[in-house]
DNA sequence: GTCTATACTACGATAGAC
DNA sequence: GTCTATCGTAGTATAGAC
């Protein structure tokens, strides 16, 4: 529920502190890895003592939880902005743009991505509330594939569930390889992000209509 | 260098203990996640005290290092057995079989895989010796793609480096998704391992010769 | 609401007795 | 080679002063 409170005068400063805690946590996770987050380090960088953090979060897991949820919400926003969620736009453009924007966001937010796509933190399981936006995005992504098929870009008899699983594997693979093997590289020149167009073509060709032309 | 000593009568028992330490460590990592390994837990399960472990390994990182190295060596063995390294076999069969065997091994060894494919342990970087088999496998995999091209299964003018990066992304994506989102599922029925044939076809079709037929 | 002080637990690692 | 004992550190969390 973080971030949903009314920003009255009282709560504004509190909200700013919460944002700062999360920002510093991301900083630490980016440097040390997602599992390398410690409340002591966050407090140190903020110039406060570890116990003070408990006024804003119920311990370290609550921090992970907030970042997990915000990450998926951010991805939703990214896909929406790419027109992948709105019904109006051309599905193929939306799919290409959305996939590209998603991968870009992921490699530019490695701390969030590790938390969202892997399970790097022993003992941490996202709460149902934090998981909800991930489920929503899943549904929206599947809906996009339906639109893609209905617009004639995929074969009419395509197995959409199977195609969706393959798509997540492809996208997740590019992200995973880029973050694990060449973490610092920017999206534009990354060893793996640069093959994303190829990968999208592979998926599209494989599921495209008129297979006789293959 | 673990495992390379001559198995004389003196060292045999020691070697067995080393194997047991590693086996228990894998057990713990499988349950708790790669970063959840603690020497105390390993010692507890072995019925000894944590300091005794230092007679066999120079601390926790040495354990990770040994598992990292053994994992890549095991993968080499898996690919070799699939004929993906030997020069004699049919490249296409070797490539399909090798890729399949590699993914199977990975999902059946989640603790090793996490260590090898992601960077889940803060502060751990594999030593050059542990990294060597990974480099060797990289070279062997690239050599397989060369054979694949020379046998006419790929376009003659294919960008092999780019194709190789795409291949690792695809394979890594299937492994990553399977381990992160459905860890318990067996290879045969996994939600993501079952799309591996599709994914291999995508890659192959994309790089196949006579592109005019596409 | 924020701090200091502190309790508690656990971990990695070392020293030295047996 | 294994143990006990212990060091040093870190991290989570609570109690209570200000």
């Amino acid at each position: 529920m973080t971030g949903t409170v009314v920003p009255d005068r009282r709560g504004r400063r509190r909200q700013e502190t919460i944002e700062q805690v999360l920002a510093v946590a991301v900083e630490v996770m980016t440097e040390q890895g997602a599992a390398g987050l410690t409340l002591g380090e966050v407090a140190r960088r903020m110039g406060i003592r570890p116990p003070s953090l408990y006024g804003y979060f119920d311990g370290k897991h609550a921090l992970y939880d907030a970042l997990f949820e915000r990450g998926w919400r951010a991805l939703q926003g990214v896909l929406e902005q790419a027109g992948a969620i709105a019904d109006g736009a051309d599905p193929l453009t939306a799919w290409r743009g959305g996939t590209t924007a998603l991968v870009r966001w992921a490699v530019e937010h490695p701390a969030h991505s590790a938390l969202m796509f892997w399970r790097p933190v022993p003992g941490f399981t996202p709460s149902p509330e934090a998981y909800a936006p991930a489920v929503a995005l899943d549904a929206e992504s599947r809906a996009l594939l339906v639109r893609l098929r209905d617009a004639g870009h995929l074969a009419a008899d395509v197995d959409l569930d199977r195609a969706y699983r393959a798509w997540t594997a492809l996208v997740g693979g590019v992200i995973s390889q880029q973050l694990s093997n060449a973490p610092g590289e920017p999206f534009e020149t990354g060893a793996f992000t640069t093959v994303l167009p190829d990968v999208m073509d592979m998926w599209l060709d494989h599921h495209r209509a008129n297979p006789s032309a293959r």
Side-chain angles (χ1 to χ4, degrees), chain A:
Chain A
M1 294 307 223
T2 321
T4 62
V5 293
V6 183
D8 61 354
R9 213 195 236 85
R10 159 87 78 151
R12 256 239 325 252
R13 173 149 172 67
R14 176 180 173 78
Q15 193 56 38
E16 281 169 11
T17 308
I18 288 176
E19 299 302 326
Q20 197 198 348
V21 172
L22 292 176
V24 172
V26 167
E27 201 180 286
V28 175
M29 290 166 69
T30 303
E31 294 171 19
Q32 313 285 336
L37 178 67
T38 68
L39 296 185
E41 185 60 29
V42 172
R44 200 169 298 127
R45 298 191 187 197
M46 291 181 66
I48 63 175
R49 306 292 148 189
S52 305
L53 292 171
Y54 284 81
Y56 307 98
F57 290 95
D58 277 346
K60 194 162 75 158
H61 277 13
L63 255 161
Y64 282 130
D65 215 49
L67 291 175
F68 185 93
E69 177 173 358
R70 279 161 175 252
W72 285 108
R73 281 201 199 288
L75 263 196
Q76 265 190 307
V78 161
L79 284 202
E80 192 161 15
Q81 191 146 13
I85 292 177
D87 271 323
D90 169 48
L92 187 56
T93 307
W95 177 77
R96 279 196 192 277
T99 300
T100 306
L102 186 151
V103 172
R104 174 192 285 275
W105 185 92
V107 300
E108 288 177 351
H109 297 80
H112 287 86
S113 294
L115 213 52
M116 294 157 66
F117 302 134
W118 308 331
R119 304 266 167 234
V121 182
F124 168 65
T125 312
S127 65
E129 307 87 67
Y131 203 74
V135 175
L137 189 56
D138 181 85
E140 286 151 6
S141 301
R142 290 174 184 271
L144 176 57
L145 293 202
V146 172
R147 290 200 286 138
L148 212 50
R149 180 199 58 191
D150 292 347
H153 296 300
L154 305 184
D157 64 343
V158 68
D159 182 339
L160 274 185
D161 181 64
R162 194 178 175 89
Y164 176 67
R165 279 177 278 142
W167 178 75
T168 63
L170 265 49
V171 170
V174 171
I175 295 169
S176 190
Q177 289 289 315
Q178 186 66 53
L179 288 180
S180 294
N181 298 323
E185 296 179 352
F187 174 81
E188 280 77 11
T189 58
F192 299 93
T193 49
T194 45
V195 300
L196 179 60
D198 297 8
V199 169
M200 288 193 290
D201 284 342
M202 290 180 208
W203 185 88
L204 206 56
D205 287 342
H206 187 84
H207 298 99
R208 206 188 288 280
N210 58 313
S212 59
R214 272 215 297 272

